[in-house]
Amino acid sequence: MHDVISPVTEEIVATVPSTSVEETDAAIARAHEAFQTWRAVSPGDRARLLRRFAALVDEHNEELAQLEVRNSGHTIGNARWEAGNVRDVLNYYAGAPERLSGRQIPVAGGMDVTFYEPLGVVAVIVPWNFPMPIAGWGFAPALAAGNTVVLKPAELTPLTAIRLGELALEAGLPEGVFTVLPGKGSVVGERFVTHPLVRKVCFTGSTDVGKRIMAGCAQQVKRVTLELGGKSANIVFADADLAKAAAGAPGAVFDNAGQDCCARSRLLVQASVYDEFMALLEQSVQAFRCEDPSLETAQMGPLISAGQLASVKSYVDKAVIEGTAPGGPGYWMAPTVLAAESTEDRHWREEIFGPVLSVLRFDDEADAIRLANDTEYGLSGSIWTGDLGRGIRVARGVEAGNLSVNSNSSVRYWTPFGGVKQSGLGRELGPDALAAFSEVKNVFFSTEV
């Protein structure tokens, strides 16, 4: 058994079982057996079941959101959005089974057609920072494509995933089609990688663990999708709307207490407007509300654990701007801004995964691109400018999978999401996600007499 601790109160909110290797094997075997019937469910019926699942998630939005506040310390506003995102992703991919069509390719001497065939059992390993939406990004398209799913939530944040598994059964998904297995990564996650009946692993988490999973999957030539770390740049040019950019910068890095792979944790400001921008930023940071996440006004809650809090604080020496945070129980840390003296500063180079923003000046467009790309990561980022041509040039020049111009958004469920370099491999979401959960089968029919 494993105790689940609230990061808000430091109290035990639940005790959940830790799945053993034997139980994991049994669940994978059941998923493999269920795959034989699930893949044969007609596209229309599969779509109806996924829509029913989405409707149940919607009916339980507030329950799921309150559960996430207690388990993860997410603000209630964020948690409602996260449950809604699961609903929306399910609805989006519910439209896919009836549209997952192959092609007829002209050939000599007959007819050639392609089919999208499901892979089999898909394993989804979910991190603790966004337990609900990242689970949905994996299981929704996998189920829509005709696969069965075994899902391991993070040890720290299993409660909403367990509830989603219950709702899937209530919606009518057959036993074994979607199974949630709480437990240790070294037990359940490792078995996902080594079990021969698991045909694909979707992992979101640290780059180091992602590399080990990729190496393990290589032993069986097993498919893998990886969404890993980030150290994204927020680039502010002198011709930008500085007030708007400064107002958006805190949310771009401090949302979810900075525990976000897409966090714009490196702020690049053009030297000619640096002082003006920093004055605006200070106002925004000090107004950013870090408080009890159950409050409707909360913009940021606590960090997930005592260990994470200690890790984040180890990066902080002298803050140039600091917000406020509650005292007392909970893993609280105030939003913090650091000035980078060079690109070798540890807080500038490493993914901190906490509410810490590093700021550095740049000279011109070429310098901004060079500094933004000076990292092993490439997940997300923002570009603020009033020049459309510059926005296009810099967006094409920055090495990242997801960029926004005059915006800090990263994720839309109907557009592709993923990283480059050591931020990951493959793409999630968007219209093409089902291809990542399918094999293309080519069949030739001879018409020669």
Side-chain angles (χ1 to χ4, degrees):
M1 305 298 289
H2 174 70
D3 290 335
V4 178
I5 307 297
S6 165
V8 182
T9 64
E10 302 183 45
E11 297 173 347
I12 297 172
V13 294
T15 301
V16 300
S18 292
T19 309
S20 67
V21 172
E22 294 76 17
E23 290 167 332
T24 303
D25 284 350
I28 292 170
R30 290 193 298 271
H32 178 67
E33 183 177 355
F35 170 65
Q36 309 308 320
T37 53
W38 179 247
R39 69 178 302 179
V41 172
S42 70
D45 287 341
R46 197 185 307 149
R48 276 189 288 275
L49 285 168
L50 293 177
R51 284 194 291 270
R52 192 177 303 160
F53 188 6
L56 271 178
V57 172
D58 191 41
E59 289 175 20
H60 292 268
N61 180 287
E62 188 65 19
E63 175 198 344
L64 288 164
Q66 294 291 346
L67 194 58
E68 203 67 275
V69 172
R70 293 195 300 274
N71 186 175
S72 306
H74 289 192
T75 64
I76 185 60
N78 279 6
R80 287 174 182 143
W81 178 90
E82 290 158 17
N85 183 259
V86 176
R87 171 204 62 214
D88 292 343
V89 170
L90 278 166
N91 272 325
Y92 181 75
Y93 288 110
E98 296 163 297
R99 295 167 177 80
L100 192 58
S101 56
R103 295 185 298 173
Q104 183 271 317
I105 302 172
V107 294
M111 178 178 68
D112 194 274
V113 296
T114 62
F115 300 91
Y116 282 104
E117 302 284 10
L119 303 174
V121 180
V122 171
V124 180
I125 302 174
V126 180
W128 49 258
N129 60 327
F130 288 106
M132 278 195 285
I134 292 176
W137 301 353
F139 70 69
L143 293 172
N147 304 281
T148 54
V149 173
V150 288
L151 183 146
K152 193 200 87 66
E155 291 175 68
L156 293 173
T157 56
L159 300 186
T160 47
I162 292 171
R163 187 66 181 119
L164 287 170
E166 295 168 351
L167 293 176
L169 290 174
E170 289 181 36
L173 271 69
E175 291 275 355
V177 169
F178 177 44
T179 307
V180 177
L181 302 173
K184 294 183 177 181
S186 59
V187 177
V188 181
E190 179 68 22
R191 194 61 182 131
F192 285 174
V193 172
T194 60
H195 200 296
L197 291 181
V198 173
R199 300 299 170 83
K200 175 169 182 172
V201 175
C202 298
F203 171 78
T204 301
S206 73
T207 298
D208 287 343
V209 175
K211 289 175 180 178
R212 294 201 296 272
I213 288 175
M214 188 174 181
C217 288
Q219 299 302 311
Q220 298 175 19
V221 196
K222 184 177 298 188
R223 287 191 179 204
V224 62
T225 296
L226 303 173
E227 195 271 280
L228 308 175
K231 191 69 176 174
S232 299
N234 191 356
I235 307 170
V236 180
F237 286 94
D239 64 355
D241 183 334
L242 299 183
K244 185 176 180 181
V253 64
F254 302 141
D255 182 62
N256 199 29
Q259 301 166 131
D260 182 353
C261 295
C262 291
R264 276 76 167 157
S265 55
R266 294 186 302 152
L267 179 60
L268 287 161
V269 182
Q270 196 155 21
S272 60
V273 293
Y274 182 88
D275 291 339
E276 179 184 356
F277 183 85
M278 291 298 285
L280 293 168
L281 179 65
E282 183 172 14
Q283 297 174 23
S284 298
V285 171
Q286 292 179 346
F288 202 76
R289 299 182 67 91
C290 176
E291 58 187 357
D292 181 344
S294 66
L295 297 174
E296 298 286 344
T297 53
Q299 294 175 284
M300 171 182 149
L303 280 87
I304 190 63
S305 67
Q308 186 64 17
L309 176 60
S311 173
V312 173
K313 283 190 171 181
S314 72
Y315 286 88
V316 178
D317 183 9
K318 181 181 179 182
V320 294
I321 301 172
E322 191 170 20
T324 59
Y331 309 123
W332 300 98
M333 180 174 174
T336 302
V337 179
L338 307 177
E341 296 181 4
S342 82
T343 58
E344 297 305 313
D345 286 355
R346 180 168 169 253
H347 63 81
W348 179 261
R349 300 213 65 81
E350 297 181 14
E351 184 180 34
I352 299 173
F353 227 59
V356 178
L357 175 62
S358 302
V359 189
L360 188 67
R361 294 174 173 85
F362 70 88
D363 294 325
D364 54 22
E365 193 174 304
D367 194 35
I369 294 172
R370 177 185 64 82
L371 290 168
N373 290 339
D374 183 23
T375 173
E376 63 187 8
Y377 299 113
L379 184 57
S380 194
S382 295
I383 301 153
W384 295 84
T385 178
D387 184 335
L388 175 61
R390 171 178 286 148
I392 294 170
R393 289 191 304 272
V394 177
R396 296 301 300 273
V398 173
E399 298 165 347
N402 308 271
L403 289 165
S404 296
V405 179
N406 296 327
S407 164
N408 290 317
S409 65
S410 291
V411 178
R412 296 172 182 81
Y413 59 82
W414 60 95
T415 59
F417 176 77
V420 302
K421 298 192 286 188
Q422 293 194 37
S423 282
L425 181 70
R427 291 293 180 270
E428 297 175 302
L429 302 176
D432 300 324
L434 270 74
F437 294 99
S438 308
E439 294 280 11
V440 176
K441 178 182 289 181
N442 190 78
V443 181
F444 170 73
F445 297 86
S446 174
T447 57
E448 293 181 353
V449 178

